[in-house]
């Protein structure tokens, strides 16, 4: 069980690192948000699942799962708010328009 | 099922109290009592009688949708990882105007949330049934443009989305 937990944590850290690299490499705020959503969703998911397994069944595992559920509900809201604010104040995305 | 003020209030108070119990982790009388009082107080401040569009919703179907979404998240995460780590950085960002056929507000919220949660696509603007989505490249927005994600979401709400 501990080995599975460590493997999950390492996978999570890998995605966090990739997200950070993407943050540096991608050109503008819209594309960077995609790199951040990588760390938000799969990175945080693997990391917290690993921690939950490492804790074993109990109150701490339940707390971590609550944090995970809140993260999945709230992170898209925050990302959407940031991006919408950028769009409304007139940051132009380097993107082609599609109907 | 019509949501009256009382059932709404009781549901809010109970869910807040459950969160208190999980997060406090102490089960002696004073802590539990404080939690109950605070939960009732917050529920009293926050309950409004307006959430009535919940009746199409089924939790069981959402439990079918969630693993599918998780699978899509893993697939597109791997795709985005490949894009970011490849030396030539092959991105082709674009804005997609997407016309939804979903009616319930909760369905629209969940669809926008799913789009943002999936790496590679992000909801920029929601106006009525019109979504503005930013995508990193062609492959990452395929689920949305083919209408697959909306059909899945429509399945949660027992509604047929016309293509």
């Amino acid at each position: 069980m501990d080995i599975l937990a460590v493997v999950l944590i390492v996978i999570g850290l890998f995605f966090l690192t990739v997200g950070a690299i993407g943050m540096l490499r991608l050109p503008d705020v819209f594309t960077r948000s995609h790199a951040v959503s990588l760390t938000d969703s799969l990175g945080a998911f693997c990391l917290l699942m690993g921690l939950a397994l490492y804790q074993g069944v109990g109150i701490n595992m339940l707390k971590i799962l609550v944090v995970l559920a809140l993260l999945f509900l709230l992170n898209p809201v925050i990302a959407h708010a940031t991006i919408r604010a950028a769009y409304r104040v007139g940051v132009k995305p380097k993107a082609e328009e599609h109907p | 099922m019509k949501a009256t003020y009382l059932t709404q209030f009781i549901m809010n108070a109970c869910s807040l109290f459950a969160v208190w119990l999980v997060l406090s982790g102490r089960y002696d009388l004073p802590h539990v009592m404080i939690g109950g009082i605070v939960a009732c107080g917050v529920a009293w401040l926050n309950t409004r009688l307006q959430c009535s569009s919940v009746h199409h919703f089924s939790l069981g179907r959402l439990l079918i949708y969630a693993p599918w979404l998780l699978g899509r998240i893993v697939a597109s995460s791997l795709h985005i990882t490949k894009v970011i780590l490849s030396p030539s950085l092959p991105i082709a960002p674009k804005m997609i105007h997407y016309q939804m056929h979903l009616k319930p507000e909760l369905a629209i919220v969940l669809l926008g949330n799913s789009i943002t949660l999936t790496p590679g696509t992000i909801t920029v603007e929601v106006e009525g049934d019109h979504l503005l989505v930013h995508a990193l490249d062609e492959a990452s927005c395929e689920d949305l443009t083919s209408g697959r994600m909306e059909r899945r979401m429509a399945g949660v709400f027992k509604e047929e989305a016309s293509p």
Side-chain angles (χ1 to χ4, degrees):
Chain A
M1 203 59 132
D2 274 2
I3 295 171
L4 185 64
V6 170
V7 167
L8 273 174
I9 291 173
V10 168
I11 293 174
L13 287 176
F14 169 73
F15 280 111
L16 292 187
T17 315
V18 170
I21 294 172
M23 191 75 189
L24 293 172
R25 289 197 71 193
L26 291 168
D28 65 347
V29 63
F30 293 92
T31 46
R32 280 179 176 179
S33 73
H34 298 311
V36 176
S37 79
L38 192 67
T39 67
D40 280 355
S41 50
L42 201 56
F45 179 78
C46 289
L47 198 57
L48 288 176
M49 278 312 242
L51 284 177
L53 283 181
Y54 193 73
Q55 287 287 337
V57 180
I59 190 76
N60 285 332
M61 189 187 210
L62 204 58
K63 281 184 193 177
I64 291 173
L65 292 182
V66 168
V67 169
L68 194 61
L70 286 179
L71 211 62
F72 266 49
L73 280 178
L74 294 182
N75 257 328
V77 177
I78 296 166
H80 169 64
T82 315
I83 288 303
R84 190 172 69 159
Y87 184 75
R88 285 196 175 169
V89 297
V91 178
K92 286 278 173 285
K94 293 172 187 162
E96 38 179 325
E97 297 264 332
H98 273 255
Chain B
M1 187 186 82
K2 206 74 170 161
T4 64
Y5 181 85
L6 194 64
T7 54
Q8 194 87 44
F9 175 82
I10 291 172
M11 271 172 61
N12 281 353
C14 285
S15 45
L16 284 169
F17 189 54
V19 171
W20 170 279
L21 286 183
V22 170
L23 290 184
S24 84
R26 295 181 181 186
Y27 302 112
D28 48 354
L29 191 61
H31 281 97
V32 173
M33 261 175 64
I34 292 172
I37 292 168
V38 171
C40 286
V42 174
W44 176 65
L45 285 175
N46 281 305
T47 306
R48 299 273 182 281
L49 190 60
Q50 55 189 8
C51 294
S52 57
S53 65
V54 196
H55 49 282
H56 286 298
F57 181 69
S58 110
L59 196 65
R61 283 157 186 267
L62 194 66
L63 289 182
I64 300 173
Y65 177 76
W68 178 79
L69 182 65
L70 201 61
R72 296 312 305 160
I73 287 176
V74 171
S76 55
S77 289
L78 292 176
H79 174 70
I80 298 295
T81 306
K82 222 186 306 172
V83 168
I84 287 177
L85 290 185
S86 61
S88 58
L89 203 63
I91 57 170
K94 55 182 176 179
M95 285 290 198
I96 303 155
H97 296 271
Y98 185 75
Q99 200 69 37
M100 278 182 296
H101 304 282
L102 290 171
K103 286 288 167 294
E105 261 178 32
L106 187 61
I108 295 173
V109 169
L110 283 177
L111 183 66
N113 208 327
S114 307
I115 291 170
T116 310
L117 204 54
T118 314
T121 50
I122 192 163
T123 316
V124 179
E125 193 80 84
V126 186
E127 280 177 10
D129 57 352
H130 181 247
L131 272 180
L132 185 58
V133 177
H134 185 273
L136 190 62
D137 62 2
E138 188 68 50
S140 54
C141 65
E142 204 208 310
D143 262 344
L144 183 68
T145 48
S146 66
R148 202 178 306 146
M149 188 174 256
E150 184 178 358
R151 274 200 300 280
R152 289 276 179 166
M153 184 49 77
V156 175
F157 285 83
K158 297 177 190 169
E159 270 192 342
E160 279 304 309
S162 44

